[in-house]
Amino acid sequence: MISKKVICILILLLTSLHTFSQDANDNESAKQRFTLSGTISDDNSNETLIGVNVSIPELKTGVTTNEYGFYSITLPKGSYKIQITSIGFQTIEETINLDKNTKKNFKLKGDENVLKEVVINSNDSQTENRKPEMGVNKLSVAAIKKMPVVLGEVDIIKSILLLPGVTSAGEAASGFNVRGGGADQNLILMDEASIFNSSHVFGFFSIFNPDAIKDIKLYKGGIPARYGGRASSVLDIYQKDGNSNDFHMNGGIGLISSRLLAEGPIVKDKGSFLIAGRASYAHLFLKLSEEQKDNAAYFYDLNAKLSYKLNPNNNLYMSGYFGRDVFALNKSFTNIYGNTTFNTRWNHLFSDKLFSNLSAIYSDYYYGLDLDFVGFEWRSGIRNFNIKYDLRSYISDKLKLNYGVNAIYYEFNPGTIKPSTPESGINPDQLEKKYAYEPAIYINAEQKITDRIDINYGLRYSLFYNVGTYTENLYENDNPVLFNSQFQIYEKATPIGTKVYNKNEVIKSFDNLEPRLTVNYQLNDNQSFQASYNRMVQYLQLISNTSSPTPLDVWTPSGTYIKPQIADQVALGYFRKFKEGAYSAEVSSFYKEVQNRLDYIDGANLIANKAIEQVLLNGQLRSYGLELMLKKNEGKLTGWISYTLSKSEQRTPGRTSEETGINGGQWYNTVYDKVNNLAVTGSYYLNPKWAFGANFIYQTGQPTTYPNGQYEYLGMSVPIYGLRNKERLPSFNHLDLSATLTPKPNYNKSWRSEWVFSIYNVYNRKNAASVGFRENLDTGANEAVKTSIFGIVPAVSYNFKF
């Protein structure tokens, strides 16, 4: 239950905010005040637009549309010139006489030339630099589609790797790392539904179909209080609503996969549908070979959405995603995994100053493995059910409040084993399922303190209940991991008994306050300083000892022996525009500490482990760094250069004076420590027919552990490994190029098409995916063997729209 102390804190915060707002309004002017509100949408499709700027230049104030295109601003009575701006659309300027509460909807017309020449919108770059956000990047889907990528498949996850502070574990590695954090510490949302594995084909592609995506925003720091549950970052993705004006289709045909999207009105100007499918078909070529006909390797996914405007104050949305990866080898090995999500949302406008959204969300990640040659089937996964109710109150032009509640129910299946045939001799087994509840309440304020100072601050109160049905092991002194002082190693403890918990009986509970604060100081119209602090708490733990998540990785809840991760991050930044926003520069530094980051004892077995607590230790993580970004926002040549100098370290010190801890209790590199990270990307718009793109990435090699000696055993040479992650793989770098040909660039015609030619890894860099060691049969010594995945990869795809 929520404590009285926390309730008092939240009530006092609300009361003080409301009082401050009233006092500020009273002192500012005795004039009457009225509210201008409405929605902003695309003139062509009626698609509501996120993050559109509604500004009043003479008052140096403004507001942006929310996730559903709604805006509201309260001003003194008077006549004002309103500016409506959004990248890729023509600017609207209109004079409004505000002498009463006014509802005004705007429709923006697309500007194809502007869209081609703008690559990225970091919220402060081209519009206003006073919004109290820091470490936030909003990506343009149109720009992402122009970036050259491996095998010609447009990829949202690969595009964010070009941002400062974001890295990956290497080629064909799933997930991404933000500011020295693990890939499991990123909260990935699609239409508010949690995504637990964001990759197809073990990291070659992401699950996000760019044709179906409307908005992408990455929070690296200064994370608003409405987000919780992860310790590092938030990637918030919204799907398109669908065209409620006309029926349209678009898609693309590539060497590896193809995609098709259809959208149109259910009821014109009121309701719309969208359905998009994507599938790979390279495995079909295997069928042409007699030796390979029983092998398969492919993926497919489906996006769907229904939107309906019930009346001016109520909108209903239903959206879903289904995706699967399939691998099969000679009918003896079959691997199927993927995500399923479904979300129903109801928007309600209580008044022109109070907007609400109620969401019911289902998310499921499934992993299946059939090994016919040994005769068993393996199933694991995680699913959750989430109820959210969020409200946004536009109190005045100086104060906006977000507040809400949500409750998530989790079901964890660490593994189910079944015999595939009666003759297999395999006994059915179910690793005990786990269950948890995660309720939370939050309040967040965006406030203008003075003409120069804007702040965004909030408080999140989260709770977590690990509940039954479950049988828990008991250990002497509640210690499932013992330290052998004689051999200086950690060992599994032997349970001294068990305790049975009934359904929904609380095994272990946690509660945490998570404060958030971002301050923006505007030096002048072109320069600003920012500072931020946020605490994030992560109650789910990913059981994996690989450098990037794999489909087989298992999620588990915090409990008696596994504590929640608690991350504290501070950041400072400076932003400047040049030549009226044609150029911009950003510099920021950060420091982050994470308590209770899991580490694993030597020789830990993580797969199908019924007592996973016996091989886990709670450690610490810290990361710090400097991020630089220089952007060219306008003209025929657009793009940016980003550089990050950072460090990411972990340690697991001894719990007593007798224990030495892992690596002697000293700090050591995490597997996602990339000291230097340089990314350069650019697009050149030559003419209406031709556009070109280029990416270059350089990263310090990934930390790894090499042997520092060997010994003989039964005639074999066995390596002796040194300290964890002391060594590094060779540096990672590659250059990619693309060219887009639009044969008949008439934007008003019914059929439009383009050819995209790309080359990945132009100079054929053999980047090391891993370095292994084997015995040299001639010398008897261990030798290093580098594994590389890609050389130079040309690709071509054909995109169309009608």
Side-chain angles (χ1 to χ4, degrees):
M1 296 296 291
I2 298 177
S3 68
K4 293 181 179 179
K5 179 180 178 181
V6 173
I7 292 175
C8 290
I9 291 173
L10 293 173
I11 291 174
L12 286 172
L13 184 60
L14 275 169
T15 303
S16 63
L17 288 170
H18 183 66
T19 302
F20 183 94
S21 174
Q22 285 184 326
D23 291 343
N25 289 342
D26 291 342
N27 293 334
E28 178 186 311
S29 175
K31 290 183 179 179
Q32 288 181 288
R33 303 176 67 84
F34 298 105
T35 299
L36 175 67
S37 64
T39 58
I40 300 178
S41 57
D42 187 332
D43 180 67
N44 181 55
S45 63
N46 275 340
E47 183 92 30
T48 57
L49 300 175
I50 302 173
V52 177
N53 290 278
V54 181
S55 58
I56 299 88
E58 61 190 282
L59 297 182
K60 293 185 178 181
T61 189
V63 69
T64 58
T65 56
N66 68 6
E67 294 80 5
Y68 302 93
F70 178 78
Y71 76 94
S72 176
I73 186 167
T74 300
L75 304 167
K77 179 181 178 180
S79 180
Y80 302 102
K81 179 182 286 187
I82 308 295
Q83 279 187 350
I84 313 294
T85 58
S86 182
I87 289 181
F89 293 90
Q90 297 177 16
T91 297
I92 292 177
E93 289 189 358
E94 185 173 322
T95 299
I96 292 180
N97 185 28
L98 196 63
D99 55 4
K100 62 181 178 180
N101 291 337
T102 303
K103 285 191 175 181
K104 179 71 174 178
N105 299 330
F106 293 95
K107 291 184 180 293
L108 299 184
K109 293 183 178 181
D111 189 329
E112 294 289 346
N113 291 324
V114 171
L115 199 60
K116 283 181 175 291
E117 296 175 9
V118 174
V119 177
I120 184 173
N121 173 23
S122 179
N123 285 357
D124 300 324
S125 64
Q126 284 185 269
T127 52
E128 51 182 332
N129 64 324
R130 67 171 308 122
K131 192 172 178 63
E133 290 184 335
M134 185 181 181
V136 181
N137 295 109
K138 180 179 178 181
L139 298 175
S140 161
V141 175
I144 291 173
K145 290 183 177 182
K146 302 299 181 185
M147 293 180 181
V149 291
V150 64
L151 300 173
E153 181 68 21
V154 175
D155 196 305
I156 288 174
I157 296 297
K158 295 293 188 294
S159 68
I160 68 174
L161 299 178
L162 298 166
L163 298 171
V166 185
T167 63
S168 74
E171 290 175 319
S174 60
F176 56 96
N177 307 111
V178 176
R179 290 185 169 177
D184 61 299
Q185 294 178 325
N186 304 315
L187 176 63
I188 303 176
L189 302 172
M190 183 160 62
D191 277 355
E192 300 183 298
S194 297
I195 301 295
F196 289 97
N197 188 317
S198 61
S199 300
H200 281 309
V201 199
F202 299 102
F204 282 99
F205 311 109
S206 77
I207 68 168
F208 305 108
N209 183 344
D211 288 345
I213 301 304
K214 173 166 66 172
D215 188 77
I216 307 156
K217 188 177 286 187
L218 175 68
Y219 295 86
K220 298 180 295 184
I223 300 173
R226 68 179 182 273
Y227 298 109
R230 297 294 187 276
S232 191
S233 75
V234 178
L235 179 61
D236 199 3
I237 297 174
Y238 279 87
Q239 296 186 102
K240 292 179 179 177
D241 298 335
N243 193 319
S244 63
N245 274 341
D246 302 293
F247 177 80
H248 288 283
M249 296 186 71
N250 63 276
I253 302 171
L255 296 178
I256 300 298
S257 66
S258 291
R259 62 191 190 278
L260 184 66
L261 177 146
E263 59 180 337
I266 300 173
V267 177
K268 190 173 177 63
D269 295 331
K270 292 191 67 176
S272 63
F273 75 89
L274 179 146
I275 184 166
R278 185 175 57 156
S280 66
Y281 40 71
H283 69 289
L284 297 177
F285 297 106
L286 300 176
K287 306 299 181 183
L288 302 178
S289 169
E290 186 66 27
E291 293 80 10
Q292 302 291 333
K293 67 178 182 179
D294 294 326
N295 297 337
Y298 62 93
F299 70 86
Y300 59 90
D301 50 36
L302 178 71
N303 298 74
K305 193 166 186 177
L306 296 174
S307 307
Y308 195 81
K309 186 175 183 179
L310 301 174
N311 55 49
N313 294 330
N314 293 278
N315 293 277
L316 188 65
Y317 303 89
M318 289 187 290
S319 62
Y321 168 85
F322 179 81
R324 286 293 183 267
D325 281 74
V326 179
F327 295 87
L329 183 62
N330 294 326
K331 296 183 178 180
S332 61
F333 171 94
T334 303
N335 183 201
I336 302 175
Y337 67 90
N339 297 274
T340 303
T341 69
F342 181 76
N343 187 359
T344 299
R345 284 170 289 164
W346 170 43
N347 289 173
H348 176 64
L349 194 62
F350 286 99
S351 70
D352 53 9
K353 299 174 71 171
L354 183 59
F355 178 92
S356 71
N357 179 71
L358 176 65
S359 299
I361 308 163
Y362 170 78
S363 178
D364 175 83
Y365 174 70
Y366 166 85
Y367 180 84
L369 180 64
D370 295 346
L371 298 175
D372 290 341
F373 66 93
V374 293
F376 80 85
E377 301 173 353
W378 168 276
R379 303 288 183 268
S380 64
I382 177 175
R383 65 178 60 178
N384 70 45
F385 304 86
N386 186 4
I387 298 292
K388 294 174 73 263
Y389 191 47
D390 301 291
L391 297 103
R392 186 165 301 186
S393 180
Y394 300 82
I395 294 177
S396 71
D397 62 323
K398 296 184 182 296
L399 179 63
K400 305 170 189 65
L401 290 181
N402 287 355
Y403 44 96
V405 297
N406 78 284
I408 307 175
Y409 172 75
Y410 295 98
E411 179 183 305
F412 306 83
N413 180 12
T416 303
I417 299 176
K418 296 180 181 179
S420 56
T421 62
E423 298 81 15
S424 67
I426 301 292
N427 295 321
D429 194 10
Q430 171 66 62
L431 274 69
E432 201 161 10
K433 293 185 177 180
K434 301 176 183 179
Y435 307 90
Y437 295 95
E438 185 180 353
I441 183 171
Y442 77 90
I443 181 171
N444 201 93
E446 184 177 325
Q447 191 168 358
K448 182 177 182 180
I449 303 297
T450 70
D451 288 341
R452 294 184 181 273
I453 300 176
D454 295 80
I455 63 173
N456 189 318
Y457 56 105
L459 183 67
R460 182 180 183 87
Y461 180 61
S462 60
L463 303 99
F464 192 81
Y465 300 94
N466 187 329
V467 299
T469 308
Y470 188 68
T471 301
E472 185 172 72
N473 290 327
L474 302 178
Y475 300 90
E476 187 174 353
N477 299 322
D478 290 331
N479 191 359
V481 184
L482 300 179
F483 184 75
N484 188 321
S485 57
Q486 180 181 358
F487 297 101
Q488 297 291 296
I489 60 173
Y490 285 99
E491 299 175 330
K492 302 175 184 177
T494 301
I496 59 174
T498 59
K499 182 176 181 180
V500 177
Y501 292 88
N502 298 321
K503 185 175 182 179
N504 292 326
E505 185 179 357
V506 176
I507 301 170
K508 183 71 174 179
S509 65
F510 304 91
D511 68 301
N512 285 279
L513 286 171
E514 304 176 43
R516 317 285 172 85
L517 172 66
T518 301
V519 180
N520 185 85
Y521 177 78
Q522 188 178 18
L523 189 62
N524 52 46
D525 289 342
N526 295 315
Q527 300 180 74
S528 63
F529 293 93
Q530 302 95 21
S532 70
Y533 164 77
N534 59 252
R535 165 166 284 199
M536 305 285 288
V537 179
Q538 180 170 335
Y539 297 102
L540 306 189
Q541 311 284 358
L542 183 65
I543 306 303
S544 172
N545 59 0
T546 60
S547 58
S548 67
T550 69
L552 187 56
D553 292 338
V554 176
W555 291 85
T556 193
S558 297
T560 303
Y561 306 112
I562 299 176
K563 299 177 182 179
Q565 299 180 61
I566 302 176
D568 292 283
Q569 181 181 208
V570 293
L572 297 172
Y574 169 74
F575 171 83
R576 180 166 183 173
K577 294 189 294 186
F578 302 91
K579 294 187 177 181
E580 297 182 347
Y583 297 87
S584 60
E586 301 172 41
V587 182
S588 59
S589 61
F590 67 89
Y591 180 83
K592 177 166 55 179
E593 288 186 348
V594 182
Q595 305 172 43
N596 306 320
R597 180 65 175 168
L598 291 180
D599 209 337
Y600 311 93
I601 68 173
D602 292 332
N605 176 26
L606 305 180
I607 305 301
N609 191 332
K610 294 184 178 181
I612 195 69
E613 69 275 1
Q614 295 178 345
V615 297
L616 302 178
L617 292 169
N618 290 300
Q620 299 170 274
L621 182 148
R622 70 180 181 189
S623 61
Y624 45 91
L626 178 70
E627 299 173 353
L628 308 173
M629 193 171 189
L630 176 65
K631 294 185 289 183
K632 186 176 185 298
N633 300 306
E634 298 175 2
K636 288 183 175 292
L637 175 64
T638 56
W640 70 89
I641 300 173
S642 72
Y643 173 71
T644 306
L645 177 66
S646 64
K647 191 68 184 170
S648 177
E649 300 173 308
Q650 188 164 340
R651 72 170 178 176
T652 306
R655 297 165 298 186
T656 67
S657 58
E658 296 180 353
E659 293 187 18
T660 59
I662 295 178
N663 275 26
Q666 301 301 309
W667 291 101
Y668 58 93
N669 299 324
T670 67
V671 292
Y672 23 86
D673 175 52
K674 304 293 179 66
V675 177
N676 295 286
N677 178 27
L678 172 69
V680 182
T681 185
S683 294
Y684 182 72
Y685 177 64
L686 179 64
N687 55 46
K689 281 192 173 184
W690 283 101
F692 301 92
N695 294 337
F696 174 76
I697 291 179
Y698 173 88
Q699 293 179 0
T700 299
Q702 177 182 311
T704 189
T705 306
Y706 289 160
N708 56 9
Q710 62 186 46
Y711 65 92
E712 296 292 327
Y713 180 75
L714 299 178
M716 295 185 299
S717 178
V718 180
I720 301 173
Y721 286 87
L723 297 176
R724 291 190 190 183
N725 300 334
K726 185 178 180 180
E727 311 295 336
R728 289 185 182 272
L729 298 178
S731 64
F732 174 88
N733 60 88
H734 61 84
L735 171 68
D736 316 320
L737 300 175
S738 71
T740 302
L741 170 64
T742 306
K744 297 179 180 180
N746 182 352
Y747 300 115
N748 295 319
K749 64 183 182 181
S750 59
W751 178 277
R752 294 160 56 183
S753 64
E754 64 181 17
W755 289 91
V756 181
F757 308 93
S758 64
I759 301 177
Y760 177 86
N761 196 7
V762 171
Y763 50 80
N764 200 29
R765 165 78 175 183
K766 300 294 185 181
N767 287 302
S770 64
V771 173
F773 292 85
R774 68 185 179 190
E775 182 181 4
N776 187 305
L777 298 179
D778 296 327
T779 64
N782 285 296
E783 61 180 6
V785 180
K786 182 177 76 171
T787 301
S788 298
I789 298 177
F790 290 119
I792 184 171
V793 183
V796 61
S797 59
Y798 176 73
N799 300 322
F800 58 88
K801 183 176 183 179
F802 63 91

